[in-house]
Amino acid sequence: MKRPRATIMSVMAGLAVVLMAGPVPGAPPNLTEKQIKQLESGSIVKVPVKGGGYLGGKSYILLQEDEKTCYNIVADLKNYYYFYDDTLIEATVVKKEGGKRTVRMVYGKGPVKLTYHARFSLNPAKYLIKFTLDKNYNNDVLDTKVFISFTPYDQGRILMTNASLVKFEDKVVWKVFGKKIANGMLRLPKYVKKFLATPQANKYKGKEP
């Protein structure tokens, strides 16, 4: 039996619900029985999507840490070099106001580079991070939408939910970076779990967002 793939509409609908109401604590994702067992085992669950020019999807993982620590780790841009170690060469804040900031993201592989500007919105009260494409700048992608949340799952564990979509304009760029960036977006929960096992994670514990 094939693992079901998310559709563009289902991912976009999920993004819309979270952006309007925020993540619901304790609400399990809409997964198959097999995927739930995979999640419970501590593994990452990926539900990829491809269509309409978009790549990405949803991914989930259970973390044995509090929401505040996990949120702090993902909200710190310095850690993105760890999360996307094989392609990301720059993550620089170019504009900041309140809980929002525009970040220039540059990916590179050999002589080819891809740049886009992500408009981050940080909500520490809900442990929610979301970003969309800032179209006030020149970008090498047509669109990108991401939300990351941390919610209680059961005693001692939290659920990290990651929904990421990216749409490319240039076919050459898509061929060079498309799958790698999309896979990097989906694998993020796995790398957050790996980061939690490093000594660097200790400085985020007990810290107010």
Side-chain angles (χ1 to χ4, degrees), residues 49-97:
V49 63
K50 184 179 180 181
Y54 283 92
L55 289 174
K58 299 178 182 179
S59 55
Y60 310 90
I61 204 166
L62 294 178
L63 304 171
Q64 291 188 312
E65 189 53 80
D66 61 89
E67 300 103 304
K68 185 185 297 183
T69 299
C70 295
Y71 173 89
N72 286 335
I73 288 171
V74 179
D76 190 342
L77 277 178
K78 294 192 298 293
N79 297 328
Y80 283 60
Y81 295 102
Y82 177 89
F83 301 147
Y84 305 109
D85 58 348
D86 52 351
T87 54
L88 183 66
I89 58 176
E90 181 186 344
T92 304
V93 176
V94 296
K95 184 178 180 181
K96 189 175 182 180
E97 53 184 9

Side-chain angles (χ1 to χ4, degrees), residues 190-202:
K190 179 179 178 180
Y191 273 63
V192 171
K193 184 174 183 177
K194 289 174 64 176
F195 187 90
L196 282 167
T198 68
Q200 289 85 351
N202 293 327

Side-chain angles (χ1 to χ4, degrees), residues 86-143:
D86 52 351
T87 54
L88 183 66
I89 58 176
E90 181 186 344
T92 304
V93 176
V94 296
K95 184 178 180 181
K96 189 175 182 180
E97 53 184 9
K100 296 182 179 181
R101 59 195 181 191
T102 296
V103 181
R104 182 171 60 246
M105 311 286 284
V106 182
Y107 294 83
K109 184 178 181 181
V112 183
K113 292 183 180 179
L114 176 147
T115 301
Y116 68 88
H117 296 78
R119 181 69 166 161
F120 277 74
S121 180
L122 306 176
N123 189 334
K126 293 184 178 180
Y127 305 115
L128 175 66
I129 299 168
K130 59 186 179 183
F131 71 77
T132 56
L133 188 69
D134 192 330
K135 296 184 179 180
N136 292 314
Y137 297 83
N138 292 326
N139 299 292
D140 295 327
V141 300
L142 284 175
D143 194 19

